[in-house]
Amino acid sequence: MPNTTPHQARFTRRGFLTTTGAAAGAAAFAGPLLGAAPARAAAISNGASVPALVIGTGYGGAVAALRLAQAGVPVEMVEMGMSWDTPGADGKIFPKVTSPDQRAYWLRTKTKAPVSNFFGFPIDSNITKYTGVLDAEEFAGITVYQGRGVGGGSLVNGGMAVTPKRERFAGILPSVDANEMYDVYYPRANAGLGVGQIDPVWFESAACYQYARVGRKHAQRSGFAWTFVPDVYDWNYMKAEQAGTVTRSALDGQVMYGNDHGKKSLVQTYLAQAFATGRVNVSTLHRVTNVTPAAGGGYTVAMEQIDTSGNVVATKTVTATKVFFAAGSVGTSKLLVKMKATGALPGLNNEIGKGWGDNGNVMCGRANHMWDATGTLQSTIPCSGIDNWDAGGAFAEVAPLPTGIETYASLYLSITKTTRRAEFSWNAAANKVDLSWQTAWKQDSITMAKTIFDKINSKEGTIYRTDLFGGYKIWQDGLTYHPLGGAVLNKATDNYGRLHGHPGLYVIDGALIPGNTTVNPFVTITALAERNIERIVADDLL
Ligand code: FAE
């Protein structure tokens, strides 16, 4: 596949429409969990010429690859992380949250757990530097957690698959037709991702969701709307885990460093479909470093091949007719900001790097009374949330703390309506991209989250935990799991993700979304990618 030529990108519009209509899309993904189709994973050749190159294999990249391939276009995906398909010496592909090893972190020598302390004691440990699955990327004011490997964030996330309330959509993506999104693209994304909801009857008795039932009780007693949250975890598998009939994953402390079983990551859904077309190849442990117009048309894409210690073992250049930036909000923004500043892509406009937000993420824990035990067995997959968006600007996941012992703690990740937006900029002296986020800005999010938890604490006669994020620290205000923006739709790009100034370059990931989705973001990223790629294939690739 690497040495295909641009003329192979020719295909008919009719062929595309018949394979990607809403009905066909839904049918393709209905039915039981698909096995992970192996990627065609021959490393791309130096000097190759390809019709379509996709940088990154997360949500945006997977949608782009599938729809392009279904339309007849050979696709080369370039992914800086590994393909997570081989068990380690312990027989597991991924480590548990309580025992991270080298597989857990991207090129770090010490873990950086979001819950960093327990009873005040630091819990991070030394590990071997390795191309692990979770990147805790540090900027001056914030640590941004991201997935690394084939499947991107879908490898490490909690699978919470939330479609924002329709009346809130205009505030998320003002230039996008909400009717189209809610009639066509959100349903298509939900079907494609394999989104499902917990059996509410089973929920009432499952030991592993005692923590969520306690969370519900406290929320409702304070008058808050509590809601189940859909997820891509296979709920029947979860039931079997609780019953003890299958190998446990969510009930064995796996999530943030990957799940061996149960979770429908992109590897089981969009990417499996993409690879099944026979037109998609992935080069793993390849990191794109530059994109610039090629002399004869198209773009020259430079990349480094790395080993599992992060050393560069080869550099390559490839020519691509179309390039899709799907390296995630941070990855895409860093590339574009650097290439604009260095003159590699001089036509990019001044919106590049702007509009970045943290989706208002902030975490806290509450200390329950002894009669409100949250359970020694906790599913790592959250299934519920507290919605105080309209009154207080916060939507809080009731999160697990799967330590294996009774902690009497309730943990929450809040998504808040922060208006703070940061900007990426090129730091020539240090040869890196900086982000202008300030930790103090999280105070807005804390204030919004407190509209929920101050009230619950007051009603229950409880207090915040102060031992989870450092000594005497109530709020985890130093991170985000939900980076969004940096190449905002209809600003840095046109209304479909085409980058201004350079025809044939597209952004198709979380970088398009300006900082906030009111809920967990990946369904919106997927739905927007579905919308945009349909238009791009129809209009640009004929
Ligand atoms: P993403 O999935 O990050 O994919 C980008 C890919 O590009 C990655 O595989 C990178 O390794 C790769 N890449 C980056 N730079 C380069 C380069 N230069 N060359 C080659 N490859 C590159 O992007 N969201 C939810 O909706 N629900 C949840 O429950 C949830 N839980 C989360 C829990 C954790 C711990 C984390 C970290 C995130 C969570 N998220 C959740 C966020 C979600 O995973 C994230 O919004 C999406 O993965 C972003 O999708 P993108 O397609 O933008």
Side-chain angles (χ1 to χ4, degrees), residues 58 94 102 134 271 286-287 299 344 473 508 533 542:
F94 297 111
Q102 62 173 17
L134 183 66
L271 289 172
H286 280 58
R287 179 171 54 207
Y299 293 88
K473 190 167 162 57
I508 192 149
I533 195 69
L542 281 173

Side-chain angles (χ1 to χ4, degrees), residues 109-133:
T109 52
K110 189 171 186 184
T111 65
K112 193 170 172 64
V115 175
S116 57
N117 294 60
F118 202 56
F119 295 118
F121 293 103
I123 56 174
D124 282 315
S125 56
N126 294 331
I127 49 172
T128 306
K129 192 176 167 196
Y130 189 70
T131 47
V133 72

Side-chain angles (χ1 to χ4, degrees), residues 287-318:
R287 179 171 54 207
V288 170
T289 53
N290 200 37
V291 178
T292 193
Y299 293 88
T300 302
V301 181
M303 58 191 83
E304 297 171 340
Q305 185 172 0
I306 57 174
D307 64 18
T308 55
S309 302
N311 303 309
V312 176
V313 294
T315 54
K316 300 177 179 179
T317 54
V318 169

Side-chain angles (χ1 to χ4, degrees), residues 203-251:
F203 169 78
E204 297 300 339
S205 62
C208 64
Y209 281 117
Q210 189 177 331
Y211 74 92
R213 293 192 295 275
V214 169
R216 174 181 61 182
K217 183 174 75 178
H218 291 167
Q220 291 181 338
R221 283 211 293 229
S222 286
F224 292 115
W226 176 93
T227 172
F228 282 120
V229 168
D231 203 281
V232 297
Y233 205 86
D234 182 333
W235 292 105
N236 287 328
Y237 194 88
M238 180 97 72
K239 281 183 177 176
E241 288 186 49
Q242 177 72 81
T245 56
V246 295
T247 307
R248 286 179 165 180
S249 182
L251 270 56

Side-chain angles (χ1 to χ4, degrees), residues 447-493:
T447 301
M448 289 181 236
K450 276 162 73 76
T451 65
I452 298 176
F453 304 113
D454 277 1
K455 190 166 178 192
I456 291 179
N457 277 338
S458 159
K459 175 81 183 167
E460 300 298 324
T462 50
I463 55 168
Y464 289 102
R465 292 281 291 235
T466 55
D467 64 318
L468 301 174
F469 311 114
Y472 304 103
K473 190 167 162 57
I474 290 175
W475 298 95
Q476 172 46 288
D477 58 358
L479 64 75
T480 185
Y481 295 146
H482 300 165
L484 292 165
V488 169
L489 188 80
N490 216 28
K491 290 188 171 174
T493 72

Side-chain angles (χ1 to χ4, degrees), residues 43-190:
I44 194 166
S45 312
N46 186 27
S49 180
V50 302
L53 186 138
V54 177
I55 307 170
T57 58
Y59 293 90
V63 171
L66 172 61
R67 300 312 182 194
L68 288 166
Q70 285 180 329
V73 184
V75 179
E76 280 293 337
M77 301 186 88
V78 180
E79 169 56 54
M80 68 194 270
M82 302 172 29
S83 184
W84 291 95
D85 46 18
T86 311
D90 60 356
K92 304 272 187 196
I93 295 173
F94 297 111
K96 300 184 194 195
V97 288
T98 46
S99 49
D101 57 28
Q102 62 173 17
R103 293 169 292 186
Y105 282 92
W106 179 257
L107 302 178
R108 293 186 80 90
T109 52
K110 189 171 186 184
T111 65
K112 193 170 172 64
V115 175
S116 57
N117 294 60
F118 202 56
F119 295 118
F121 293 103
I123 56 174
D124 282 315
S125 56
N126 294 331
I127 49 172
T128 306
K129 192 176 167 196
Y130 189 70
T131 47
V133 72
L134 183 66
D135 194 351
E137 186 168 3
E138 294 181 68
F139 292 95
I142 193 165
T143 300
V144 185
Y145 285 84
Q146 299 152 87
R148 297 277 175 250
V150 176
S154 77
L155 296 167
V156 297
N157 66 34
M160 297 180 83
V162 194
T163 300
K165 287 200 172 160
R166 192 175 181 139
E167 62 269 25
R168 294 178 192 157
F169 185 77
I172 302 168
L173 287 163
S175 64
V176 174
D177 178 354
N179 290 334
E180 242 180 44
M181 289 296 280
Y182 284 83
D183 294 348
V184 180
Y185 302 108
Y186 274 119
R188 190 178 292 174
N190 275 283

